[in-house]
Amino acid sequence: MDRYSKITNKNQREIVLLKAYPCVWGKCRFCDYIDDNSRDKEGMLVLNREVLSHVTGEFGVLEVINSGSCFELPEETLEDIRNIVREKNIQKLFFEAHWIYRKRLDEMREFFGIQIVYKTGAETFDYDFREHYLNKHADFQDAEELSRYFDSPCLMVGIKGQTKEMIRNDIALLKRYFKLGTINVFTNNTTDVKRDEDLVKWFLEEFRYLEEDPSIEVLYENTDFGVGD
């Protein structure tokens, strides 16, 4: 599995995929990423330090992801990241956190002392689909409420059960309330959630212009950021 990469097209930054403790929720219907979680603290620390050793600081920006939220990283790994931030003169961090942690986001800001851009897996702004089908356990009522806490939502498109109108609305709300966002084109995995090929084809044609939008990153494959497998 690749765990270090550089993103050089939009919002240039280095990115690392680290190991962490199990996701606080861990019950999203579509997610099998949590298979990368661990309870072996020593093993996590060794692996994470090796991955972090590749960080150069060349962009002054680092994104840290794991199969869950940044709050599930071991304390020692957070300290290692802070040391890297100071040694490499990194000025901005990208972290990801579940809605559950929305009241704790300032803890990381205080710990690192630099700008943190918080991403979150919103998946969709359609409450019913998000909560009753995807089982996201993120009960914000609308995009405006989510924007009070998080900087950059991650949306998914191309799932059976979604509609074109839902996707159009999601992207409109993303542009209206957020300066940054990520759109993930769903890929079949080990869960029972399935990809809608016709909907994906429509999305790729209808929203091709997003490739030129500096504020939106579209991931056609899970590994488009250069990490994962």
Side-chain angles (χ1 to χ4, degrees), residues 114-160:
I114 62 173
Q115 179 185 358
I116 293 180
V117 176
Y118 273 112
K119 302 172 79 169
T120 191
E123 318 312 343
T124 177
F125 297 120
D126 184 290
Y127 185 95
D128 183 67
F129 194 72
R130 182 180 69 248
E131 295 303 289
H132 299 147
Y133 180 70
L134 297 178
N135 197 34
K136 184 67 192 183
H137 195 53
D139 60 352
F140 56 89
Q141 295 301 307
D142 51 34
E144 188 279 330
E145 183 180 4
L146 186 70
S147 71
R148 297 177 206 164
Y149 300 96
F150 294 94
D151 307 296
S152 177
C154 301
L155 302 177
M156 284 199 308
V157 300
I159 301 170
K160 284 190 180 296

Side-chain angles (χ1 to χ4, degrees), residues 11-221:
N11 302 308
Q12 291 188 337
R13 59 199 186 275
E14 293 174 276
I15 184 170
V16 291
L17 170 60
L18 304 182
K19 271 190 175 287
Y21 293 111
C23 174
V24 68
W25 174 237
K27 300 174 185 176
C28 294
R29 184 171 182 171
F30 59 89
C31 180
D32 62 1
Y33 300 149
I34 55 174
D35 292 344
D36 193 46
N37 293 334
S38 177
R39 296 186 184 275
D40 175 11
K41 180 178 178 180
E42 292 308 312
M44 287 191 287
L45 295 182
V46 170
L47 184 145
N48 290 345
R49 282 170 182 155
E50 193 283 325
V51 175
L52 288 168
S53 71
H54 296 278
V55 176
T56 66
E58 64 180 284
F59 304 117
V61 184
L62 173 64
E63 179 165 356
V64 177
I65 62 175
N66 56 283
S67 299
S69 302
C70 58
F71 293 92
E72 288 136 20
L73 290 165
E75 288 184 13
E76 292 88 343
T77 291
L78 291 173
E79 292 170 358
D80 290 340
I81 296 169
R82 184 168 63 179
N83 289 337
I84 291 288
V85 163
R86 292 170 175 172
E87 291 170 8
K88 305 299 183 180
N89 196 30
I90 291 169
Q91 302 299 311
K92 183 192 297 184
L93 280 171
F94 282 76
F95 274 145
E96 185 163 354
H98 190 282
W99 172 251
I100 291 171
Y101 290 110
R102 64 193 180 280
K103 300 293 182 64
R104 295 184 55 189
L105 302 181
D106 282 343
E107 293 177 21
M108 290 292 185
R109 295 186 177 105
E110 293 170 3
F111 182 80
F112 286 98
I114 62 173
Q115 179 185 358
I116 293 180
V117 176
Y118 273 112
K119 302 172 79 169
T120 191
E123 318 312 343
T124 177
F125 297 120
D126 184 290
Y127 185 95
D128 183 67
F129 194 72
R130 182 180 69 248
E131 295 303 289
H132 299 147
Y133 180 70
L134 297 178
N135 197 34
K136 184 67 192 183
H137 195 53
D139 60 352
F140 56 89
Q141 295 301 307
D142 51 34
E144 188 279 330
E145 183 180 4
L146 186 70
S147 71
R148 297 177 206 164
Y149 300 96
F150 294 94
D151 307 296
S152 177
C154 301
L155 302 177
M156 284 199 308
V157 300
I159 301 170
K160 284 190 180 296
Q162 272 186 317
T163 67
K164 294 177 181 179
E165 186 56 36
M166 287 166 60
I167 292 173
R168 286 194 187 100
N169 189 56
D170 278 349
I171 294 174
L173 291 170
L174 172 61
K175 293 295 295 178
R176 178 177 179 182
Y177 287 103
F178 300 92
K179 294 181 179 179
L180 295 173
T182 304
I183 298 175
N184 299 278
V185 179
F186 184 73
T187 300
N188 287 328
N189 54 28
T190 61
T191 71
D192 69 347
V193 176
K194 298 303 178 185
R195 174 175 165 122
D196 185 327
E197 295 293 351
D198 290 337
L199 198 59
V200 169
K201 182 179 179 181
W202 167 83
F203 168 78
L204 296 179
E205 295 173 354
E206 183 83 1
F207 292 97
R208 181 64 66 183
Y209 68 88
L210 291 176
E211 292 183 356
E212 307 304 321
D213 187 328
S215 67
I216 305 295
E217 293 175 311
V218 181
L219 303 185
Y220 300 104
E221 300 289 343

